[in-house]
Amino acid sequence: MSGRVGRFAPTPSGRMHIGNVYAMLATWLSAHAGDGSGKILLRVEDVDEPRALKDADKWIMDDLHWLGLDWDGEPVYQSKRTEIYEEALRSLESVRLDDFALVYPCFCSRADLRAASAPQEGDRFLIYPGTCRKLLTEHPDEVRSRLEAGQRHSWRIAVPERDMQGSVVTFDDRIFGHQRFDLPREVGDTVIRRSDGIFSYQLAVVVDDLLMGVNDIVRGRDLLRSTALQIWIRRALVVSGFAKKYGIQRVDSPAYAHLPLIDDPTGVRLAKRKRSLDIGTLRADGVKPGQIIGYCAWLLGVRSSKSQGVHMPDASGPVAMSAREALECFTWRDVRADKSDHILEANWASEFDRRKSGSVA
Ligand code: GLU
């Protein structure tokens, strides 16, 4: 595919860690593989502005520059796009799903929801029991008067009921292969605007990917289920006429690649709040960008390096390299070869001291 458009979509909640760099490198490699016409956009996902960490966007950009992971154009900030998300919500309000509205106000509190449904493991989906969807269908006057009285509410997008058309979403993932999700059973009606007025990640990311022309999405496998929901929201935005309003005619589904995740040496998922593995600490310790890129390339299955124009097979351990050098050796086939989550070795950085190979160490 030519004209690939990928995106870095960091949440500015802290300094990047190795896991973030691994995902960014994969994004960068995916967009630039092939005929070289691809580009990468940078979107700062600060839609939840009150929770964004001041200056984290600047650290992230500085670390990306330092690592040689460049992007095209100016960064886009979700916090500046509220009006666009409002418009998307208004467009969705015009869509009906058989007998009921596709989006509806929800007056349930978190406590009500916890009481009503069993927690789901993994990516924190709580299947909403549909209370306020029924309320709107059965007692529209009550809903109207509660809205007029200014009662606190979120907005949800409905998914089709079981066995209805559209209730199953399928897509092919470059790494995990064919995916099939039953929306009513595995996803449920989802909040797209919170009761404090903040738009949810799920809506913002779909609106942005659509309007920014992103057609190549690379991220962690914990978002596989979200992808099914995002495909549903994307279709709804197209049906509602929202995409057309922005002059978007072609709305093919993007290509998706969901990466295995990375755990720290104790088996705990890497998180930005743990400072020990963040890029700031590594930089202060004298670790070089080529070492970090080489290590992440290794996690992406790169088992060779290019030196003086010659590819050298090298399966004994990571080799320091630049992103451009990694591009020469990267294939999705190698990523697919090992789909298990990775455990970061405690001494990963010292590997390089022993090996001393690679051109940019
Ligand atoms: N901001 C999200 C994150 O940091 C990006 C998720 C996505 O790629 O859609 O996890």
Side-chain angles (χ1 to χ4, degrees), residues 7-13 20 24 43-46 78 201-202 205 209 217-220 222-223 226 230 258 272:
R7 49 30 165 216
F8 294 144
T11 303
S13 56
N20 302 126
M24 302 276 191
R43 182 169 74 228
V44 178
E45 300 215 319
D46 58 350
Q78 287 188 327
Y201 154 74
Q202 301 286 9
V205 84
D209 284 339
I217 295 180
V218 181
R219 54 191 179 188
D222 51 341
L223 290 169
S226 288
Q230 291 174 16
H258 288 84
K272 283 195 182 126

PDB file of all heavy atoms in Angstrom, residues 7-13 20 24 43-46 78 201-202 205 209 217-220 222-223 226 230 258 272, ligand 1:
ATOM      1  N   ARG A   7       0.418   7.191  12.847  1.00  0.00           N
ATOM      2  CA  ARG A   7       0.407   8.280  13.841  1.00  0.00           C
ATOM      3  C   ARG A   7       1.052   7.826  15.145  1.00  0.00           C
ATOM      4  O   ARG A   7       0.908   6.686  15.584  1.00  0.00           O
ATOM      5  CB  ARG A   7      -0.973   8.849  14.067  1.00  0.00           C
ATOM      6  CG  ARG A   7      -2.225   8.064  14.330  1.00  0.00           C
ATOM      7  CD  ARG A   7      -2.238   6.804  14.991  1.00  0.00           C
ATOM      8  NE  ARG A   7      -3.549   6.387  15.444  1.00  0.00           N
ATOM      9  CZ  ARG A   7      -3.753   5.725  16.578  1.00  0.00           C
ATOM     10  NH1 ARG A   7      -2.733   5.390  17.349  1.00  0.00           N
ATOM     11  NH2 ARG A   7      -4.962   5.346  16.923  1.00  0.00           N
ATOM     12  N   PHE A   8       1.806   8.779  15.731  1.00  0.00           N
ATOM     13  CA  PHE A   8       2.218   8.630  17.119  1.00  0.00           C
ATOM     14  C   PHE A   8       1.078   9.259  17.909  1.00  0.00           C
ATOM     15  O   PHE A   8       0.662  10.383  17.598  1.00  0.00           O
ATOM     16  CB  PHE A   8       3.475   9.443  17.430  1.00  0.00           C
ATOM     17  CG  PHE A   8       4.730   8.983  16.728  1.00  0.00           C
ATOM     18  CD1 PHE A   8       5.674   9.919  16.303  1.00  0.00           C
ATOM     19  CD2 PHE A   8       5.000   7.638  16.536  1.00  0.00           C
ATOM     20  CE1 PHE A   8       6.848   9.522  15.683  1.00  0.00           C
ATOM     21  CE2 PHE A   8       6.181   7.232  15.907  1.00  0.00           C
ATOM     22  CZ  PHE A   8       7.102   8.176  15.478  1.00  0.00           C
ATOM     23  N   ALA A   9       0.570   8.549  18.918  1.00  0.00           N
ATOM     24  CA  ALA A   9      -0.576   9.091  19.660  1.00  0.00           C
ATOM     25  C   ALA A   9      -0.321   9.032  21.171  1.00  0.00           C
ATOM     26  O   ALA A   9      -1.065   8.402  21.910  1.00  0.00           O
ATOM     27  CB  ALA A   9      -1.833   8.313  19.290  1.00  0.00           C
ATOM     28  N   PRO A  10       0.758   9.692  21.630  1.00  0.00           N
ATOM     29  CA  PRO A  10       1.090   9.568  23.055  1.00  0.00           C
ATOM     30  C   PRO A  10       0.107  10.303  23.968  1.00  0.00           C
ATOM     31  O   PRO A  10      -0.393  11.366  23.608  1.00  0.00           O
ATOM     32  CB  PRO A  10       2.470  10.223  23.145  1.00  0.00           C
ATOM     33  CG  PRO A  10       2.503  11.200  22.015  1.00  0.00           C
ATOM     34  CD  PRO A  10       1.693  10.574  20.912  1.00  0.00           C
ATOM     35  N   THR A  11      -0.144   9.714  25.119  1.00  0.00           N
ATOM     36  CA  THR A  11      -0.894  10.388  26.177  1.00  0.00           C
ATOM     37  C   THR A  11       0.140  11.102  27.044  1.00  0.00           C
ATOM     38  O   THR A  11       1.064  10.453  27.533  1.00  0.00           O
ATOM     39  CB  THR A  11      -1.652   9.349  27.019  1.00  0.00           C
ATOM     40  OG1 THR A  11      -2.481   8.601  26.139  1.00  0.00           O
ATOM     41  CG2 THR A  11      -2.509  10.015  28.083  1.00  0.00           C
ATOM     42  N   PRO A  12       0.016  12.415  27.224  1.00  0.00           N
ATOM     43  CA  PRO A  12       1.061  13.128  27.974  1.00  0.00           C
ATOM     44  C   PRO A  12       0.875  12.979  29.486  1.00  0.00           C
ATOM     45  O   PRO A  12       0.625  13.950  30.193  1.00  0.00           O
ATOM     46  CB  PRO A  12       0.884  14.579  27.515  1.00  0.00           C
ATOM     47  CG  PRO A  12      -0.558  14.678  27.144  1.00  0.00           C
ATOM     48  CD  PRO A  12      -1.002  13.318  26.689  1.00  0.00           C
ATOM     49  N   SER A  13       1.020  11.743  29.946  1.00  0.00           N
ATOM     50  CA  SER A  13       0.823  11.499  31.383  1.00  0.00           C
ATOM     51  C   SER A  13       2.146  11.238  32.085  1.00  0.00           C
ATOM     52  O   SER A  13       2.175  10.924  33.264  1.00  0.00           O
ATOM     53  CB  SER A  13      -0.123  10.316  31.567  1.00  0.00           C
ATOM     54  OG  SER A  13       0.398   9.193  30.893  1.00  0.00           O
ATOM     55  N   ASN A  20       6.735   2.376  25.357  1.00  0.00           N
ATOM     56  CA  ASN A  20       6.218   3.408  24.451  1.00  0.00           C
ATOM     57  C   ASN A  20       7.119   3.521  23.222  1.00  0.00           C
ATOM     58  O   ASN A  20       6.628   3.636  22.090  1.00  0.00           O
ATOM     59  CB  ASN A  20       6.154   4.778  25.143  1.00  0.00           C
ATOM     60  CG  ASN A  20       5.306   4.781  26.399  1.00  0.00           C
ATOM     61  OD1 ASN A  20       5.764   5.186  27.463  1.00  0.00           O
ATOM     62  ND2 ASN A  20       4.071   4.323  26.296  1.00  0.00           N
ATOM     63  N   MET A  24       6.239   3.142  19.324  1.00  0.00           N
ATOM     64  CA  MET A  24       6.502   4.262  18.399  1.00  0.00           C
ATOM     65  C   MET A  24       7.426   3.795  17.263  1.00  0.00           C
ATOM     66  O   MET A  24       7.238   4.176  16.114  1.00  0.00           O
ATOM     67  CB  MET A  24       7.205   5.420  19.121  1.00  0.00           C
ATOM     68  CG  MET A  24       6.454   5.968  20.304  1.00  0.00           C
ATOM     69  SD  MET A  24       5.237   7.172  19.807  1.00  0.00           S
ATOM     70  CE  MET A  24       4.815   7.838  21.404  1.00  0.00           C
ATOM     71  N   ARG A  43      -0.002  13.126  17.316  1.00  0.00           N
ATOM     72  CA  ARG A  43      -1.215  13.610  17.974  1.00  0.00           C
ATOM     73  C   ARG A  43      -1.044  13.462  19.483  1.00  0.00           C
ATOM     74  O   ARG A  43      -0.837  12.339  19.971  1.00  0.00           O
ATOM     75  CB  ARG A  43      -2.410  12.793  17.489  1.00  0.00           C
ATOM     76  CG  ARG A  43      -3.715  13.255  18.074  1.00  0.00           C
ATOM     77  CD  ARG A  43      -4.873  12.616  17.376  1.00  0.00           C
ATOM     78  NE  ARG A  43      -5.063  11.231  17.726  1.00  0.00           N
ATOM     79  CZ  ARG A  43      -5.242  10.236  16.849  1.00  0.00           C
ATOM     80  NH1 ARG A  43      -5.232  10.462  15.557  1.00  0.00           N
ATOM     81  NH2 ARG A  43      -5.435   9.014  17.263  1.00  0.00           N
ATOM     82  N   VAL A  44      -1.083  14.557  20.176  1.00  0.00           N
ATOM     83  CA  VAL A  44      -0.939  14.508  21.634  1.00  0.00           C
ATOM     84  C   VAL A  44      -2.328  14.234  22.206  1.00  0.00           C
ATOM     85  O   VAL A  44      -3.247  15.031  22.050  1.00  0.00           O
ATOM     86  CB  VAL A  44      -0.352  15.836  22.161  1.00  0.00           C
ATOM     87  CG1 VAL A  44      -0.250  15.800  23.671  1.00  0.00           C
ATOM     88  CG2 VAL A  44       1.012  16.099  21.519  1.00  0.00           C
ATOM     89  N   GLU A  45      -2.478  13.088  22.871  1.00  0.00           N
ATOM     90  CA  GLU A  45      -3.811  12.669  23.319  1.00  0.00           C
ATOM     91  C   GLU A  45      -4.092  13.190  24.721  1.00  0.00           C
ATOM     92  O   GLU A  45      -4.113  12.450  25.706  1.00  0.00           O
ATOM     93  CB  GLU A  45      -3.943  11.157  23.187  1.00  0.00           C
ATOM     94  CG  GLU A  45      -3.754  10.752  21.726  1.00  0.00           C
ATOM     95  CD  GLU A  45      -4.590   9.583  21.256  1.00  0.00           C
ATOM     96  OE1 GLU A  45      -4.742   8.609  22.004  1.00  0.00           O
ATOM     97  OE2 GLU A  45      -5.081   9.649  20.099  1.00  0.00           O
ATOM     98  N   ASP A  46      -4.311  14.505  24.758  1.00  0.00           N
ATOM     99  CA  ASP A  46      -4.599  15.172  26.035  1.00  0.00           C
ATOM    100  C   ASP A  46      -6.073  15.539  26.121  1.00  0.00           C
ATOM    101  O   ASP A  46      -6.425  16.592  26.645  1.00  0.00           O
ATOM    102  CB  ASP A  46      -3.718  16.421  26.184  1.00  0.00           C
ATOM    103  CG  ASP A  46      -3.917  17.403  25.036  1.00  0.00           C
ATOM    104  OD1 ASP A  46      -4.573  17.035  24.044  1.00  0.00           O
ATOM    105  OD2 ASP A  46      -3.425  18.539  25.124  1.00  0.00           O
ATOM    106  N   GLN A  78      -5.368  17.120  21.101  1.00  0.00           N
ATOM    107  CA  GLN A  78      -6.799  16.806  21.246  1.00  0.00           C
ATOM    108  C   GLN A  78      -7.515  17.864  22.093  1.00  0.00           C
ATOM    109  O   GLN A  78      -8.688  18.142  21.874  1.00  0.00           O
ATOM    110  CB  GLN A  78      -6.987  15.430  21.883  1.00  0.00           C
ATOM    111  CG  GLN A  78      -6.644  14.304  20.913  1.00  0.00           C
ATOM    112  CD  GLN A  78      -7.008  12.928  21.439  1.00  0.00           C
ATOM    113  OE1 GLN A  78      -6.932  12.692  22.647  1.00  0.00           O
ATOM    114  NE2 GLN A  78      -7.361  12.026  20.549  1.00  0.00           N
ATOM    115  N   TYR A 201     -11.687   8.960  25.164  1.00  0.00           N
ATOM    116  CA  TYR A 201     -10.637   8.494  24.240  1.00  0.00           C
ATOM    117  C   TYR A 201     -11.271   7.828  23.016  1.00  0.00           C
ATOM    118  O   TYR A 201     -10.869   8.086  21.879  1.00  0.00           O
ATOM    119  CB  TYR A 201      -9.714   7.519  24.990  1.00  0.00           C
ATOM    120  CG  TYR A 201      -9.022   6.525  24.086  1.00  0.00           C
ATOM    121  CD1 TYR A 201      -7.971   6.928  23.266  1.00  0.00           C
ATOM    122  CD2 TYR A 201      -9.451   5.195  24.006  1.00  0.00           C
ATOM    123  CE1 TYR A 201      -7.355   6.025  22.408  1.00  0.00           C
ATOM    124  CE2 TYR A 201      -8.846   4.295  23.155  1.00  0.00           C
ATOM    125  CZ  TYR A 201      -7.798   4.709  22.356  1.00  0.00           C
ATOM    126  OH  TYR A 201      -7.200   3.823  21.506  1.00  0.00           O
ATOM    127  N   GLN A 202     -12.260   6.962  23.252  1.00  0.00           N
ATOM    128  CA  GLN A 202     -12.813   6.152  22.162  1.00  0.00           C
ATOM    129  C   GLN A 202     -13.402   7.018  21.043  1.00  0.00           C
ATOM    130  O   GLN A 202     -13.243   6.709  19.866  1.00  0.00           O
ATOM    131  CB  GLN A 202     -13.896   5.190  22.685  1.00  0.00           C
ATOM    132  CG  GLN A 202     -13.398   4.224  23.753  1.00  0.00           C
ATOM    133  CD  GLN A 202     -12.515   3.099  23.227  1.00  0.00           C
ATOM    134  OE1 GLN A 202     -12.115   3.099  22.064  1.00  0.00           O
ATOM    135  NE2 GLN A 202     -12.182   2.153  24.087  1.00  0.00           N
ATOM    136  N   VAL A 205     -10.377   9.454  19.431  1.00  0.00           N
ATOM    137  CA  VAL A 205      -9.392   8.766  18.592  1.00  0.00           C
ATOM    138  C   VAL A 205      -9.995   8.411  17.220  1.00  0.00           C
ATOM    139  O   VAL A 205      -9.326   8.508  16.188  1.00  0.00           O
ATOM    140  CB  VAL A 205      -8.838   7.530  19.360  1.00  0.00           C
ATOM    141  CG1 VAL A 205      -9.729   6.320  19.214  1.00  0.00           C
ATOM    142  CG2 VAL A 205      -7.445   7.193  18.947  1.00  0.00           C
ATOM    143  N   ASP A 209      -8.537   9.971  13.852  1.00  0.00           N
ATOM    144  CA  ASP A 209      -7.964   9.086  12.831  1.00  0.00           C
ATOM    145  C   ASP A 209      -8.675   9.303  11.490  1.00  0.00           C
ATOM    146  O   ASP A 209      -8.046   9.325  10.441  1.00  0.00           O
ATOM    147  CB  ASP A 209      -8.057   7.611  13.270  1.00  0.00           C
ATOM    148  CG  ASP A 209      -7.005   7.262  14.329  1.00  0.00           C
ATOM    149  OD1 ASP A 209      -5.988   7.982  14.431  1.00  0.00           O
ATOM    150  OD2 ASP A 209      -7.200   6.279  15.074  1.00  0.00           O
ATOM    151  N   ILE A 217      -2.550   1.916  11.732  1.00  0.00           N
ATOM    152  CA  ILE A 217      -2.582   2.075  13.192  1.00  0.00           C
ATOM    153  C   ILE A 217      -1.791   0.953  13.853  1.00  0.00           C
ATOM    154  O   ILE A 217      -2.053  -0.233  13.610  1.00  0.00           O
ATOM    155  CB  ILE A 217      -4.053   2.090  13.682  1.00  0.00           C
ATOM    156  CG1 ILE A 217      -4.755   3.333  13.123  1.00  0.00           C
ATOM    157  CG2 ILE A 217      -4.121   2.047  15.215  1.00  0.00           C
ATOM    158  CD1 ILE A 217      -6.211   3.490  13.522  1.00  0.00           C
ATOM    159  N   VAL A 218      -0.805   1.345  14.654  1.00  0.00           N
ATOM    160  CA  VAL A 218       0.042   0.377  15.356  1.00  0.00           C
ATOM    161  C   VAL A 218      -0.015   0.719  16.838  1.00  0.00           C
ATOM    162  O   VAL A 218       0.226   1.871  17.219  1.00  0.00           O
ATOM    163  CB  VAL A 218       1.508   0.459  14.864  1.00  0.00           C
ATOM    164  CG1 VAL A 218       2.372  -0.571  15.579  1.00  0.00           C
ATOM    165  CG2 VAL A 218       1.585   0.256  13.355  1.00  0.00           C
ATOM    166  N   ARG A 219      -0.348  -0.240  17.684  1.00  0.00           N
ATOM    167  CA  ARG A 219      -0.450   0.026  19.130  1.00  0.00           C
ATOM    168  C   ARG A 219      -0.467  -1.304  19.863  1.00  0.00           C
ATOM    169  O   ARG A 219      -0.355  -2.365  19.247  1.00  0.00           O
ATOM    170  CB  ARG A 219      -1.712   0.841  19.406  1.00  0.00           C
ATOM    171  CG  ARG A 219      -2.975   0.209  18.849  1.00  0.00           C
ATOM    172  CD  ARG A 219      -4.140   1.183  18.912  1.00  0.00           C
ATOM    173  NE  ARG A 219      -5.343   0.591  18.353  1.00  0.00           N
ATOM    174  CZ  ARG A 219      -6.463   1.259  18.146  1.00  0.00           C
ATOM    175  NH1 ARG A 219      -6.537   2.551  18.438  1.00  0.00           N
ATOM    176  NH2 ARG A 219      -7.525   0.664  17.651  1.00  0.00           N
ATOM    177  N   GLY A 220      -0.645  -1.267  21.183  1.00  0.00           N
ATOM    178  CA  GLY A 220      -0.548  -2.487  21.985  1.00  0.00           C
ATOM    179  C   GLY A 220      -1.768  -3.398  21.828  1.00  0.00           C
ATOM    180  O   GLY A 220      -2.868  -2.943  21.524  1.00  0.00           O
ATOM    181  N   ASP A 222      -3.522  -4.683  23.963  1.00  0.00           N
ATOM    182  CA  ASP A 222      -4.594  -4.424  24.927  1.00  0.00           C
ATOM    183  C   ASP A 222      -5.726  -3.600  24.295  1.00  0.00           C
ATOM    184  O   ASP A 222      -6.784  -3.454  24.902  1.00  0.00           O
ATOM    185  CB  ASP A 222      -4.053  -3.742  26.192  1.00  0.00           C
ATOM    186  CG  ASP A 222      -3.207  -2.516  25.895  1.00  0.00           C
ATOM    187  OD1 ASP A 222      -2.735  -2.369  24.751  1.00  0.00           O
ATOM    188  OD2 ASP A 222      -3.024  -1.699  26.803  1.00  0.00           O
ATOM    189  N   LEU A 223      -5.497  -3.076  23.097  1.00  0.00           N
ATOM    190  CA  LEU A 223      -6.535  -2.274  22.445  1.00  0.00           C
ATOM    191  C   LEU A 223      -7.286  -3.032  21.340  1.00  0.00           C
ATOM    192  O   LEU A 223      -8.054  -2.445  20.596  1.00  0.00           O
ATOM    193  CB  LEU A 223      -5.933  -0.972  21.901  1.00  0.00           C
ATOM    194  CG  LEU A 223      -5.536   0.007  23.023  1.00  0.00           C
ATOM    195  CD1 LEU A 223      -4.708   1.161  22.478  1.00  0.00           C
ATOM    196  CD2 LEU A 223      -6.759   0.555  23.747  1.00  0.00           C
ATOM    197  N   SER A 226     -10.952  -2.599  21.848  1.00  0.00           N
ATOM    198  CA  SER A 226     -11.326  -1.214  21.538  1.00  0.00           C
ATOM    199  C   SER A 226     -11.421  -1.002  20.039  1.00  0.00           C
ATOM    200  O   SER A 226     -12.207  -0.182  19.567  1.00  0.00           O
ATOM    201  CB  SER A 226     -10.284  -0.240  22.103  1.00  0.00           C
ATOM    202  OG  SER A 226     -10.385  -0.181  23.493  1.00  0.00           O
ATOM    203  N   GLN A 230     -14.133   0.932  17.948  1.00  0.00           N
ATOM    204  CA  GLN A 230     -13.744   2.084  17.122  1.00  0.00           C
ATOM    205  C   GLN A 230     -14.212   1.913  15.674  1.00  0.00           C
ATOM    206  O   GLN A 230     -14.565   2.879  15.009  1.00  0.00           O
ATOM    207  CB  GLN A 230     -12.234   2.315  17.227  1.00  0.00           C
ATOM    208  CG  GLN A 230     -11.850   2.816  18.619  1.00  0.00           C
ATOM    209  CD  GLN A 230     -10.355   2.930  18.848  1.00  0.00           C
ATOM    210  OE1 GLN A 230      -9.571   2.931  17.918  1.00  0.00           O
ATOM    211  NE2 GLN A 230      -9.950   3.023  20.107  1.00  0.00           N
ATOM    212  N   HIS A 258      -1.538  -4.832  16.245  1.00  0.00           N
ATOM    213  CA  HIS A 258      -1.538  -4.745  17.709  1.00  0.00           C
ATOM    214  C   HIS A 258      -0.363  -5.563  18.241  1.00  0.00           C
ATOM    215  O   HIS A 258      -0.265  -6.762  17.991  1.00  0.00           O
ATOM    216  CB  HIS A 258      -2.879  -5.228  18.263  1.00  0.00           C
ATOM    217  CG  HIS A 258      -3.985  -4.243  18.002  1.00  0.00           C
ATOM    218  ND1 HIS A 258      -4.678  -4.202  16.809  1.00  0.00           N
ATOM    219  CD2 HIS A 258      -4.471  -3.232  18.763  1.00  0.00           C
ATOM    220  CE1 HIS A 258      -5.575  -3.215  16.862  1.00  0.00           C
ATOM    221  NE2 HIS A 258      -5.463  -2.611  18.025  1.00  0.00           N
ATOM    222  N   LYS A 272       4.017   4.391  32.947  1.00  0.00           N
ATOM    223  CA  LYS A 272       4.758   5.650  32.962  1.00  0.00           C
ATOM    224  C   LYS A 272       5.080   6.108  34.382  1.00  0.00           C
ATOM    225  O   LYS A 272       6.011   6.842  34.608  1.00  0.00           O
ATOM    226  CB  LYS A 272       3.957   6.727  32.248  1.00  0.00           C
ATOM    227  CG  LYS A 272       4.004   6.602  30.733  1.00  0.00           C
ATOM    228  CD  LYS A 272       3.523   7.864  30.080  1.00  0.00           C
ATOM    229  CE  LYS A 272       3.518   7.727  28.566  1.00  0.00           C
ATOM    230  NZ  LYS A 272       2.259   8.047  27.971  1.00  0.00           N
TER     231      LYS A 272
HETATM  232  N1  GLU B   1      -3.046   7.603  23.661  1.00  0.00           N
HETATM  233  C1  GLU B   1      -3.202   6.180  23.604  1.00  0.00           C
HETATM  234  C2  GLU B   1      -2.143   5.542  24.450  1.00  0.00           C
HETATM  235  O1  GLU B   1      -1.165   6.190  24.790  1.00  0.00           O
HETATM  236  C3  GLU B   1      -3.058   5.728  22.167  1.00  0.00           C
HETATM  237  C4  GLU B   1      -3.922   4.612  21.858  1.00  0.00           C
HETATM  238  C5  GLU B   1      -4.067   4.433  20.364  1.00  0.00           C
HETATM  239  O2  GLU B   1      -3.060   4.241  19.701  1.00  0.00           O
HETATM  240  O3  GLU B   1      -5.182   4.522  19.885  1.00  0.00           O
HETATM  241  O4  GLU B   1      -2.313   4.407  24.836  1.00  0.00           O
END
